[in-house]
Amino acid sequence: PQGSEKAKTFVHGFLKRSMPKMKDEAIQDMLSRKAVVLEHYPKKKQKQKRKKTKGFTAKQRRELRLFEIEPEQQRYAIFLPLHELWKQYIRDLCHGLKPDAQPHMIQGKLLKADLHGAIVTVTKSKCPSYVGITGIILQEFKHVFKIITKEDKLKVVPKLNNVFSLELDGFISYIYGSKFLLRASERSAKKFKLKGTIDL
């Protein structure tokens, strides 16, 4: 019928336009089949970049005094409950500090533990004025500890060149600040070597 001839001519012309590099013999071969499959290359969708939520810059945090402890809050007694919570946290973390517990296992857990609330003492220091400072750790930064003493004084003690000790249930652990120059969040994911050179 005349309709089928028109359809054949249209399909032949369409294939010629769509695939100009294909020879007539190949087109005729395609037309002899019951179905014609046209190749289609969809455009690659560009991935939309997610906008990161912008937090405060270091300068803005300083201006807003987000990490400042108000003078009226700088009292040792206020933070004693925090120390009690910390002791329970360490006991749970170490499955109870029993006399037969392996020291290196406890030491390994303490290296990654959160120290906010721990009572520490500066036992050695290249600066003699730091030796003997004892108090509860209120804040831990990359380079310093902020410690509240029993005299209600807030001390900022650098980690570098200082050795700290902490005691819990008769177990005494020493922190070499020079090997501890990390933020608390980074420390939890770091692999520490329990053996190595120890110095101030």
Side-chain angles (χ1 to χ4, degrees):
Q2 192 176 2
S4 63
E5 286 297 322
K6 283 184 178 181
K8 187 177 179 180
T9 306
F10 170 78
V11 173
H12 185 278
F14 175 77
L15 292 173
K16 190 73 175 173
R17 288 193 304 275
S18 301
M19 294 173 283
K21 292 182 180 180
M22 188 175 281
K23 293 180 180 179
D24 287 343
E25 293 82 9
I27 292 174
Q28 289 299 331
D29 182 57
M30 287 184 72
L31 288 171
S32 63
R33 300 173 193 171
K34 290 183 179 179
V36 177
V37 179
L38 300 178
E39 294 180 357
H40 176 62
Y41 298 97
K43 291 182 180 180
K44 290 184 179 179
K45 292 182 180 180
Q46 292 182 348
K47 291 183 179 179
Q48 293 181 349
K49 292 182 179 179
R50 291 182 179 179
K51 292 182 179 179
K52 292 183 178 179
T53 54
K54 290 184 178 180
F56 291 119
T57 62
K59 184 180 178 182
Q60 288 172 329
R61 286 197 294 267
R62 284 194 299 271
E63 289 173 352
L64 293 170
R65 301 177 68 192
L66 292 179
F67 298 115
E68 294 290 326
I69 299 171
E70 297 297 331
E72 60 270 16
Q73 300 295 325
Q74 295 177 15
R75 288 191 288 134
Y76 186 83
I78 291 178
F79 297 100
L80 280 174
L82 176 65
H83 175 60
E84 293 300 319
L85 286 171
W86 181 82
K87 287 197 294 186
Q88 190 57 51
Y89 155 68
I90 294 298
R91 289 181 187 124
D92 293 343
L93 184 69
C94 300
H95 308 293
L97 294 170
K98 299 174 183 177
D100 59 342
Q102 296 179 349
H104 68 273
M105 183 273 291
I106 297 172
Q107 185 72 28
K109 289 186 179 293
L110 285 174
L111 285 170
K112 296 187 177 188
D114 191 334
L115 296 177
H116 294 90
I119 292 180
V120 295
T121 302
V122 182
T123 54
K124 291 182 182 178
S125 177
K126 283 191 175 181
C127 181
S129 62
Y130 288 126
V131 177
I133 293 176
T134 302
I136 300 172
I137 295 178
L138 299 187
Q139 291 174 312
E140 180 188 354
F141 298 97
K142 185 173 183 178
H143 297 287
V144 298
F145 286 123
K146 281 190 177 180
I147 298 171
I148 187 77
T149 66
K150 288 183 178 180
E151 293 78 27
D152 296 337
K153 290 183 179 180
L154 187 66
K155 301 281 187 180
V156 179
V157 183
K159 294 179 181 179
L160 190 66
N161 299 328
N162 285 324
V163 179
F164 304 85
S165 68
L166 58 90
E167 187 270 336
L168 181 62
D169 295 345
F171 182 86
I172 299 172
S173 178
Y174 292 94
I175 298 168
Y176 288 80
S178 300
K179 310 290 183 184
F180 225 63
L181 299 176
L182 295 162
R183 294 182 180 89
S185 57
E186 295 170 349
R187 190 159 44 75
S188 62
K190 182 177 171 61
K191 290 183 179 179
F192 287 94
K193 293 180 180 178
L194 294 181
K195 293 181 181 179
T197 56
I198 295 174
D199 57 0
L200 284 176

